[in-house]
Amino acid sequence: EAYLASAVCAGALASIILCPMEETRIRLVTDPTFGNGLLDGLPKLLREEGVLSPFKRGMPPMLIKQIPYTMGKQVSFDLFAGMLYSVLIGLSFIPQKEIALEVEVGAAFLASIVACLASHPGDVLLTATYKNSDDSNGAGFGATIKKVYDEGGGFSAFFQGLNARFLHVACIITLQLVLYDQLKQVLGLPASGS
């Protein structure tokens, strides 16, 4: 439970930090004349639309993306590592130290699948939110959910583009978690799940 609460807090904090940057990034992509990058785009966005503007539009989908992503990544990594150690040590005479890297890579890859599945609907909604940011009707986040559902063919609309995201995110998460676990061990902490 403490791991889950930590992951929720980390995901929420990341959302607060990422929200203005994500809106700036989308603006820079959709309007090349908006700025040269984050350093001039973010201040311009905040000047033109106000400090709270990125949070009004982007915070709900960012939370729906980031919290499940962080929970899926961190918590499932520890669970998968523990399960893999139990199975491999129980089936083999190989010492734990000799299977540590294999367990880390396997658990990290499985965690990446969980993180992708858990956060992809939020990613779809985040994209739709910013894609429809020019709508002046101010319909809100509920209308964005309805629009994605209605125009995308129902529930499956929230998983469009998942294959590409699996490839991209699986590589990133697997590398992050293996490095995380290796660095923990270098600092004298036990491997995750051991």
Side-chain angles (χ1 to χ4, degrees):
E1 292 174 13
Y3 292 110
L4 198 54
S6 297
V8 168
C9 291
L13 182 59
S15 297
I16 293 167
I17 294 167
L18 291 172
C19 205
M21 290 186 273
E22 183 70 10
E23 183 155 346
T24 304
R25 183 188 69 80
I26 298 291
R27 180 67 74 82
L28 291 167
V29 169
T30 58
D31 180 7
T33 64
F34 186 72
N36 295 319
L38 186 62
L39 292 178
D40 68 330
L42 182 58
K44 183 177 180 180
L45 175 77
L46 298 177
R47 256 191 330 274
E48 289 181 1
E49 297 191 20
V51 175
L52 296 179
S53 131
F55 301 102
K56 290 178 188 172
R57 181 173 37 235
M59 188 54 80
M62 184 64 78
L63 289 169
I64 288 175
K65 174 188 174 187
Q66 209 55 41
I67 290 175
Y69 171 84
T70 307
M71 287 170 37
K73 180 174 84 168
Q74 296 302 132
V75 176
S76 69
F77 176 64
D78 289 333
L79 293 174
F80 286 132
M83 286 190 286
L84 288 172
Y85 273 121
S86 295
V87 169
L88 292 175
I89 290 172
L91 295 177
S92 175
F93 60 88
I94 302 172
Q96 182 174 329
K97 282 194 174 253
E98 293 185 25
I99 59 171
L101 184 60
E102 290 84 354
V103 167
E104 289 168 356
V105 171
F109 180 72
L110 292 170
S112 74
I113 293 170
V114 172
C116 279
L117 287 171
S119 66
H120 195 70
D123 194 48
V124 169
L125 290 170
L126 184 65
T127 301
T129 296
Y130 288 123
K131 183 178 171 184
N132 300 324
S133 66
D134 293 336
D135 291 351
S136 57
N137 62 10
F141 185 57
T144 302
I145 294 171
K146 183 174 178 1
K147 184 174 183 177
V148 168
Y149 184 86
D150 291 346
E151 293 179 7
F155 184 72
S156 64
F158 297 100
F159 294 93
Q160 289 177 349
L162 186 59
N163 291 344
R165 190 152 187 259
F166 267 138
L167 183 61
H168 170 76
V169 174
C171 293
I172 292 170
I173 290 176
T174 301
L175 184 59
Q176 283 176 341
L177 290 173
V178 168
L179 289 171
Y180 159 76
D181 213 44
Q182 288 290 311
L183 288 171
K184 275 180 26 180
Q185 293 170 61
V186 166
L187 295 171
L189 298 169
S192 294
S194 62

